Amino acid sequence: MSNIFHKEDFSKVLAKHGMILQEHQLRQFEEYASMLIEWNQKINLTAITDPDEIYEKHFLDSILPSFDMSIQGSFCDVGAGAGFPGIPLKIIYPELELTIVETLGKRITFLNALCDKLKLKGVACVHERAEVYAKDHRESFDIVSARAVANLPLLSELCIPLVKKQGSFLALKGANGDEEYALAEKAIRLLGCEMKQRDVHTLSDGSQRINFVFVKTRPTPKKYPRPFAQMKKNPL
């Protein structure tokens, strides 16, 4: 593989897109990577533990959507796991109001420790299922995003109810993103969104990332999201 990505390439790639990282931001990413590796020995956070790969397949991957769209306002990251894409975007855009909704308590413990260590302000880590959280937080975020949480039909029902009218649902997908979109198109419309853009990026190993941005044009019908078991059994 001739085109190997090293963590030193991270800031160069961002600089090409007009993002010049300050010293303290570079330090935050370094601390993030080392905490991820350290905590991963105790709780399962990631299968990727090589520092170079963390920088490309977690950090850069999380930031890719910001090459193609404006990331600002209130941002809800659904099922963030170890904090992707929300925390890398928060490091790049410190003004972002970030809410992370995650079902696993151990991951919330990690995320709270991480935010303390990185001195991140304006981050709320919520230990809750997305469909339960949506009951009291319908249509309250400018951007709702998820990465590698579930397939797109299911993900749409978890995320779109949380998006404000004229806000965006951002779905970060891999090479099979187009197949997922074909299955989810009807559901996405039903939930009140229209496709705005589809952006493709290729990582150093040749793997593709397909990021979809859907704009919310109508309120989501009140009956969604349904209970999770129902969503799984009868996807929209």
Side-chain angles (χ1 to χ4, degrees), residues 117-130:
K117 176 84 172 162
L118 304 188
K119 298 185 169 56
L120 297 177
K121 301 277 180 275
V123 182
C125 300
V126 181
H127 183 202
E128 189 67 273
R129 299 191 64 89

Side-chain angles (χ1 to χ4, degrees), residues 35-51:
M35 264 187 89
L36 192 58
I37 292 165
E38 184 196 330
W39 279 64
N40 200 56
Q41 293 166 355
K42 298 175 283 187
I43 61 174
N44 179 25
L45 292 167
T46 175
I48 296 169
T49 52
D50 171 76

Side-chain angles (χ1 to χ4, degrees), residues 148-165:
V149 173
N151 63 21
L152 199 49
L154 188 62
L155 202 57
S156 303
E157 191 171 349
L158 289 171
C159 293
I160 293 174
L162 292 164
V163 182
K164 273 181 190 172
K165 196 153 178 235

Side-chain angles (χ1 to χ4, degrees), residues 69-214:
M69 71 181 286
S70 165
I71 304 282
Q72 57 184 12
S74 53
F75 188 104
C76 182
D77 186 354
V78 170
F84 308 117
I87 302 271
L89 287 168
K90 174 71 180 174
I91 294 172
I92 300 283
Y93 301 104
E95 300 303 306
L96 198 63
E97 295 163 42
L98 176 62
T99 300
I100 291 174
V101 181
E102 169 57 53
T103 55
L104 277 180
K106 285 177 181 175
R107 289 186 186 150
I108 289 285
T109 306
F110 167 74
L111 291 166
N112 282 325
L114 178 69
C115 290
D116 278 353
K117 176 84 172 162
L118 304 188
K119 298 185 169 56
L120 297 177
K121 301 277 180 275
V123 182
C125 300
V126 181
H127 183 202
E128 189 67 273
R129 299 191 64 89
E131 69 278 13
V132 177
Y133 183 74
K135 285 185 180 139
D136 296 321
H137 298 86
R138 291 183 81 78
E139 307 193 331
S140 46
F141 294 95
D142 296 308
I143 303 173
V144 178
S145 178
R147 172 183 178 259
V149 173
N151 63 21
L152 199 49
L154 188 62
L155 202 57
S156 303
E157 191 171 349
L158 289 171
C159 293
I160 293 174
L162 292 164
V163 182
K164 273 181 190 172
K165 196 153 178 235
Q166 297 312 319
S168 303
F169 165 40
L170 166 63
L172 286 74
K173 288 289 167 189
N176 60 347
D178 289 328
E179 293 151 42
E180 288 193 36
Y181 174 60
L183 294 172
E185 194 175 358
K186 199 172 104 231
I188 288 164
R189 278 220 189 88
L190 172 69
L191 295 162
C193 276
E194 305 288 337
M195 161 97 85
K196 184 183 178 190
Q197 61 197 68
R198 168 190 173 277
D199 304 300
V200 183
H201 296 273
T202 305
L203 300 184
S204 64
D205 63 1
S207 64
Q208 275 203 329
R209 297 292 183 265
I210 304 177
N211 297 328
F212 295 96
V213 182
F214 304 98

Side-chain angles (χ1 to χ4, degrees), residues 29-64:
F29 280 114
E30 273 181 27
E31 286 173 344
Y32 194 168
S34 69
M35 264 187 89
L36 192 58
I37 292 165
E38 184 196 330
W39 279 64
N40 200 56
Q41 293 166 355
K42 298 175 283 187
I43 61 174
N44 179 25
L45 292 167
T46 175
I48 296 169
T49 52
D50 171 76
D52 292 333
E53 283 197 53
I54 287 172
Y55 269 79
E56 184 182 31
K57 295 192 171 164
H58 282 324
F59 297 166
L60 180 62
D61 193 31
S62 295
I63 296 163
L64 287 176

